[in-house]
Amino acid sequence: MRAIHIVTTRLSSSFRRPILYLDFIVSCLAPPRQFSIPRRLICAATKANGGGRSGSIVAPLVVNEEFQKIDVNPPKGTRDFPPEDMRLRNWLFNHFKEVSRLYGFEEVDFPVLETEALFIRKAGEEIRDQLYCFEDRGNRRVALRPELTPSLARLVIQKGKSVSLPLKWFAVGQCWRYERMTRGRRREHYQWNMDIIGVPQVTAEAELISSIVTFFKRIGITASDVGFKVSSRKVLQELLKKYGVPEDLFGRVCIIIDKIEKIPIDEIKKELGFTGISEDAIEQLLQVLSVKSLGDLEDILGGAGEAIADLKQLFSLAEKFGYSEWIQFDASVVRGLAYYTGIVFEGFDRKGKLRAICGGGRYDRLLSTYGGDDIPACGFGFGDAVIVELLKEKDLLPELGQEVENIVCALDKDLQGAAATVATALRDKGQTVDLVLESKPLKWVFKRAARVNARRLVLVGKTEWEDGSVSVKVLSSGEQFQVKLSDLE
Amino acid sequence: MRAIHIVTTRLSSSFRRPILYLDFIVSCLAPPRQFSIPRRLICAATKANGGGRSGSIVAPLVVNEEFQKIDVNPPKGTRDFPPEDMRLRNWLFNHFKEVSRLYGFEEVDFPVLETEALFIRKAGEEIRDQLYCFEDRGNRRVALRPELTPSLARLVIQKGKSVSLPLKWFAVGQCWRYERMTRGRRREHYQWNMDIIGVPQVTAEAELISSIVTFFKRIGITASDVGFKVSSRKVLQELLKKYGVPEDLFGRVCIIIDKIEKIPIDEIKKELGFTGISEDAIEQLLQVLSVKSLGDLEDILGGAGEAIADLKQLFSLAEKFGYSEWIQFDASVVRGLAYYTGIVFEGFDRKGKLRAICGGGRYDRLLSTYGGDDIPACGFGFGDAVIVELLKEKDLLPELGQEVENIVCALDKDLQGAAATVATALRDKGQTVDLVLESKPLKWVFKRAARVNARRLVLVGKTEWEDGSVSVKVLSSGEQFQVKLSDLE
């Protein structure tokens, strides 16, 4: 017997667009859940499927139909991409991809649906609480990926010794999180990731930040618009060691501290208290985290530790890469994912209006949490939402219209086949063609030509076609001429 | 209190690759479901989260960790795309996209997760039975899309009068189906769709088939490799009318007949019998469906109906488009989706080894099933699986390696900053650069250069760099020279 499918529907309180109807079927008898099913429908449905095979009178299998309200909008928190939005998405993604290739990175991808276990870590991350998880028909716990890094780690382990390190991989993939939608945030976004697997040195982080800077420059964003706050988780690690806090609290403390600009400081202190860190240590910790100069940090930690050495090297490399003015030290940056172990960074808008634009860091010990051998690694995630807000704010969104070289139109219904021949000839030469598929008045054709930004209008008329010719009108200049089809370039 | 997350895992019987471990957390006390949790873990977990806030002793929040077997493979029926597979995917998708643009189509996309109701139709389609559906955290029935057309219809209704018809839209999107995996089929594939909304004439179908032919030609597939079987659902409609079968059985009968080559003919007859069609009518119906010539069909149906007229026009247009040798009439083709109303077609390999390569047709009445006003429409879906099998068989898969213009390497650890400067200069000129991020012996660098197919090796040595120069080795010719960085093109 088939599974029960009762169509339930979100009835959003903020409906503005029309609610439409979808006919539906009740595949087998089941108690109604969210709305009541008319009795006659249930009766009909009982016969409709499953047991119906014994009868052979006319139409026992025609089930009664009922209309159920359905929304023409995409599910809450998700997006359609009509052509105008798709053009912007392609523009953005092409920049992601071109920059990645400029840096010698190879593209990869993973399933959008993964085993839930892949994303479950112990540190109480926001991303974990927002996991878009389900049980599938085979009773397996699965989740729409909230991020790409765990899948990447899984693939690296799977590939094992068959790949030569370092790997430089990038991906642009959709990620999901189930949020309460309170802050106008969506439940899906696309994320550009670049990861370097197999390089323990800070040169890798420096290279990653360089690629993001290159991306910003390409789309018109400058160092006066955005910057990178940089720190190292080793700062926190060295501090916790100093205060005798157990090492296994590290990830959890990072997650708490990441909320420092989002929740009141007293809450932060309380949460840190719950982990068992003494009040005194918490006060000192918070003081260190407010440090914005590498020199001051060195005074506190001493010059011997890895934290200072890594950060110094990163700032020195930034100079050589040519992006010093883009980055600054900020001890409060720890990032919200549990797996970072070294340098962490986030891109921010200097006006302070938006959430982090991107973020990343080193995660040298992620692979062993999945049972693999650890390989030094670092990477970043760059979403498609905040950057578009920033571009809008700076008036930097590109104007992207449809572009077609030719619009081809028959002047007579009998010539539609001829127009098809003309379109084929042009396409064979690599020319894009919008072929008019119906008999339409010339006025309509000119309007369409303008809408699709056609460069030329190619008209197939009776007299010219008898001669193997067509009329061509260059739409920018109004220039018009007759040409043999074989000569049309 | 947080949701319960017990990590459950598929233990596939066909494990060949290593099983690894993932540490996990039990967020709150819950009875074990699929495996037993050690008692100490449950106890620890009780304190771990939620109620733990009252304590402040060290580490009450450190939960016990346990290892749970996890697979390093992607979930059953899904794929990772490591670089070599991603290159093939990009190659294929770029052809999909270039051909679509050549025909003046605009790209669109929709959410991969849709309301389940969107995909539920009454006709008993295979696609419906394989719906990858879930209940989300908000108790809404959702599904990973099994096809793109319903989302397209939803968007067209939503856009309403704000768009000018015809719309010519294409999409390349991932689709999901939950199958029992018996035939080595996957649970996800990517599908290229092209749809024309607003054109009632057969010119639209002719244009769609033309675009697929163009695609085939571009990737090296000829008319002797593949063909299109073409028919019209109006054939069946006219036949059913002739035999007095109620119109609302139409969709269901189509679905049954679509299985004609997949299940024994007696099963087909039985299923048709259940719909209430008389035995006599079934026999005649099946006889007509075996007709492979338009002339013979005309003898049976008479020349007056729309079915014959549409098909004749299509074959006439095919000649003008120049793809006559690719298409043939075959009355048995009806396609497995309930919503088709007119011309239907499917691409097949002439050796008869593979499933349908692509399929499509006219669906003039889909929009009203969602409550919208009907608009004449047609489209096709073209998956990424069968075509790759065919390309493999014909030995037409392209060889796609990584391509990088330069590999830049410091000859000395102190010169890594200088190498970064060189890489930046080259990238600013639009040159792709794989920057060596560690100190490596030259032998290693040459090996890597070969692996990434680098065109040039740029070495940053102490003496040259003091002079602002670098050594360049052209790897194909072995030619080597020194050049000022500013002169390096």
Side-chain angles (χ1 to χ4, degrees), chain B residues 278-290:
Chain B
S278 72
E279 263 181 52
D280 196 39
I282 290 170
E283 287 300 332
Q284 286 183 57
L285 197 64
L286 292 176
Q287 217 169 352
V288 177
L289 290 174
S290 68

Side-chain angles (χ1 to χ4, degrees), chain A residues 227-247:
Chain A
F228 292 89
K229 292 177 187 169
V230 179
S231 184
S232 170
R233 286 239 172 135
K234 288 176 186 167
V235 171
L236 208 59
Q237 207 179 12
E238 288 172 23
L239 284 171
L240 292 182
K241 201 173 172 186
K242 201 170 152 183
Y243 303 132
V245 179
E247 244 184 87

Side-chain angles (χ1 to χ4, degrees), chain A residues 181-193:
Chain A
M181 304 286 297
T182 45
R183 289 161 293 174
R185 291 173 80 168
R186 286 196 313 266
R187 287 184 175 157
E188 52 78 20
H189 74 155
Y190 282 86
Q191 205 177 83
W192 171 37
N193 277 32

Side-chain angles (χ1 to χ4, degrees), chain A residues 2 5-8 10 17 20-23 25 27 33 53 59 61 65 72-75 78-84 86-87 89-90 101-104 106-109 111-114 116-117 122 128-129 131 134-135 137-138 140-141 154 157-159 164-166 168-169 176 178 187 200-201 203 207 248 274-276 320-321 369-371 402 416-417 420-421 424 427 431-435 437-438 444 448 451, chain B residues 2 5 7-8 10 17 20-23 25 27 33 53 58-59 61-62 65 72-75 78-84 86-87 89-90 101-104 106-109 111-114 116-117 120 122 128-129 131 133-135 137-138 140-141 154 157-159 164-166 168-169 176 178 187 200-201 203 207 274-275 320-321 369-371 402 416-417 420-421 424 427 431-435 437-438 444 448 451:
Chain A
R2 293 224 187 98
H5 292 285
I6 307 278
V7 182
T8 66
R10 163 174 58 86
R17 285 189 257 187
L20 297 182
Y21 297 85
L22 175 83
D23 66 342
I25 178 178
S27 300
R33 267 189 302 181
R53 300 223 161 179
L61 281 151
E65 287 167 36
V72 292
N73 299 312
T78 71
R79 288 171 290 176
D80 286 320
F81 289 90
E84 59 277 16
M86 196 67 197
R87 282 194 289 270
R89 173 174 137 182
N90 279 334
R101 294 203 184 99
L102 204 59
Y103 279 72
E106 296 181 278
E107 191 169 2
V108 294
D109 197 10
V112 70
L113 193 74
E114 283 271 15
E116 185 188 46
K122 56 181 171 173
R128 150 81 194 273
D129 293 338
L131 205 55
F134 306 100
E135 190 154 287
R137 288 187 177 203
R140 283 177 284 267
R141 295 293 309 172
R154 181 179 57 61
I157 297 170
Q158 185 205 108
K159 287 275 174 189
S164 318
L165 300 178
K168 298 179 184 178
W169 282 358
W176 295 75
Y178 196 88
R187 287 184 175 157
Q201 284 95 316
T203 43
E207 174 90 335
D248 51 4
F274 294 147
T275 68
K320 304 292 186 182
F321 271 107
T369 67
Y370 295 121
Q402 193 186 353
Q416 270 178 352
T421 305
T424 301
R427 287 164 180 162
Q431 295 256 334
T432 56
V433 174
D434 181 25
L435 175 61
L437 300 165
E438 299 165 276
W444 183 95
R448 176 151 184 112
R451 204 181 64 75
Chain B
R2 293 225 185 98
H5 292 286
V7 182
T8 67
R10 163 173 58 86
R17 285 189 256 188
L20 297 179
Y21 297 86
L22 175 86
D23 65 344
I25 177 178
S27 299
R33 269 190 298 179
R53 300 220 163 183
V58 172
L61 281 152
V62 182
E65 286 167 36
V72 292
N73 299 313
T78 71
R79 288 171 290 176
D80 286 321
F81 290 90
E84 59 278 16
M86 196 67 195
R87 282 195 289 270
R89 172 173 138 183
N90 279 334
R101 294 204 184 96
L102 204 59
Y103 280 72
E106 297 180 278
E107 191 171 1
V108 294
D109 197 9
V112 70
L113 193 74
E114 283 271 14
E116 184 188 47
I120 293 190
K122 58 180 170 173
R128 149 83 196 273
D129 292 337
L131 205 55
C133 49
F134 306 100
E135 190 155 287
R137 289 188 177 200
R140 281 178 285 267
R141 294 296 308 174
R154 182 179 57 60
I157 297 170
Q158 185 206 108
K159 287 275 173 188
S164 318
L165 299 179
K168 297 178 184 176
W169 283 357
W176 295 74
Y178 195 88
R187 287 182 174 158
Q201 284 94 316
T203 43
E207 174 90 336
F274 294 146
T275 68
K320 304 291 185 182
F321 272 107
T369 66
Y370 296 122
Q402 193 185 354
Q416 269 178 353
T421 304
T424 301
R427 287 164 179 163
Q431 297 256 333
T432 56
V433 174
D434 180 26
L435 175 61
L437 299 164
E438 298 165 276
W444 183 95
R448 175 152 184 112
R451 204 181 63 76

